[in-house]
Amino acid sequence: MLLKMFHRFCFCLWRLVGGVHYRYRSEEGTVTLRSGVTELKNDDQIQWRFGNEETLIAEINEQTNRFSVFDDVLDGRFRDRLTLDNETGSLTITDIRTKHAGVYKAQTNNETISIKLKVDTDVKEVSVKMRNSVTLSSGVTDMMNDDQIKWRFESKEIAEVNVTAGRFSVFDDVLGGRFRDRLKLDKKTGSLIITDIRTEHAGDYRIHTNYLYIFFHLYVYDEISVKEEDSVTLNPNLTEMMDYDDIHWRFGYENTVIAKIYNRRIRLYDDVLDGRFSNRLKLDKQTGHLTITNITSEHAGGYKVHYRMRNVLFILTVLDSAYCCGTTEAAIRLVVTALMGVASAAAVVVLVYDIRSRRAEQD
Ligand SMILES: *[C@@H]1O[C@H](CO)[C@@H](O)[C@H](O)[C@H]1NC(C)=O
Ligand SMILES: *[C@@H]1O[C@H](CO)[C@@H](O)[C@H](O)[C@H]1NC(C)=O
Ligand SMILES: *[C@@H]1O[C@H](CO)[C@@H](O)[C@H](O)[C@H]1NC(C)=O
Ligand SMILES: *[C@@H]1O[C@H](CO)[C@@H](O)[C@H](O)[C@H]1NC(C)=O
Ligand SMILES: *[C@@H]1O[C@H](CO)[C@@H](O)[C@H](O)[C@H]1NC(C)=O
């Protein structure tokens, strides 16, 4: 809510300052691009064009009273999303997606206005199983709209595409080589492929292009089986752990905190969930490992450890118990999804646009 107000405020402020740079948050994913005309007159013509190829997407001809949208162009990426205002010639785009990012041009009788539409999405949460591969999708449909694509992991640059030069680079020696031989770039879209995932690859990724900014949170999960009455130690490989780091361990669909290291002190919450963890938990202060002893079927399920900005999940199966065989893909997915927290399906989009106008050259 506060964020929304802040963005509204920004929007107004920028307009007062000169109307060159707008930034606001659009809950509905809708944006109206102004043609620069305040009231259409009889001989007015406006053509709306998009992208490097300047594809015609909408046209107004007041003389013939024609308002046309061409929403089947560019593989239908604008289908049922365009509306023209019959008084001002403004173009409204609804249900904005990353594929709509780019430059729009409104050509009127005597000037051309360029509008840069940037699309920032909310965090996309992605989960991947240990040792598997994951593709973080760039959202770029045709790279020609962008000059440069940059991928970062926790603010360190790990890959870059120079579209103009057709150069694809990965920097897999950063961060102690944790990405060595694991990074690939899709030559068509600039998407990032990470192979042979380990716990140390969990965390925040972002892609930045001229018109796009996408933020990903990657959860890494592992599946572990244990017999009833045995013990299990969940090891998230927190190699960089410092003694001042806070760690939270959570369990199950409710994300109940069961243990944490907070202010250098260990706290165990073994009375939660009807005491099923009572006298069964051990948390190692040096390594952050969680040990559960005397396992019963009630301990089957998902565990999440949150450390710095990372989340690692463990899906625990208890053999020879009633829950033994709930390890189908669907069951695992359910447990993982519950632990991932806030659903990010809502298409909340942040848009930024830059407006520059120039008078057309005289013939
Ligand atoms: C514009 O469209 C609205 C709704 O379709 C209509 O009521 C109005 O008469 C139109 N105005 C002009 C100037 O064509
Ligand atoms: C642009 O054209 C409109 C009429 O279409 C006219 O009213 C306006 O003065 C023109 N602007 C400039 C800067 O020439
Ligand atoms: C991309 O490569 C071209 C040609 O090598 C170079 O001129 C340009 O500056 C590069 N772009 C960026 C953003 O580095
Ligand atoms: C921890 O790291 C070791 C060695 O890199 C690896 O074999 C193991 O699978 C990792 N475990 C987890 C849970 O990431
Ligand atoms: C393990 O838990 C069961 C109850 O689930 C209890 O009866 C048994 O005494 C426990 N064993 C140990 C070694 O604590």
Side-chain angles (χ1 to χ4, degrees), residues 9-22:
F9 175 69
C10 270
F11 181 55
C12 300
L13 190 68
W14 283 115
R15 282 179 76 174
L16 286 175
V17 169
V20 226
H21 190 175
Y22 296 74

Side-chain angles (χ1 to χ4, degrees), residues 41 43-44 109-110 359:
K41 286 188 226 69
D43 57 346
D44 276 344
N109 304 12
N110 50 14
R359 219 179 282 178

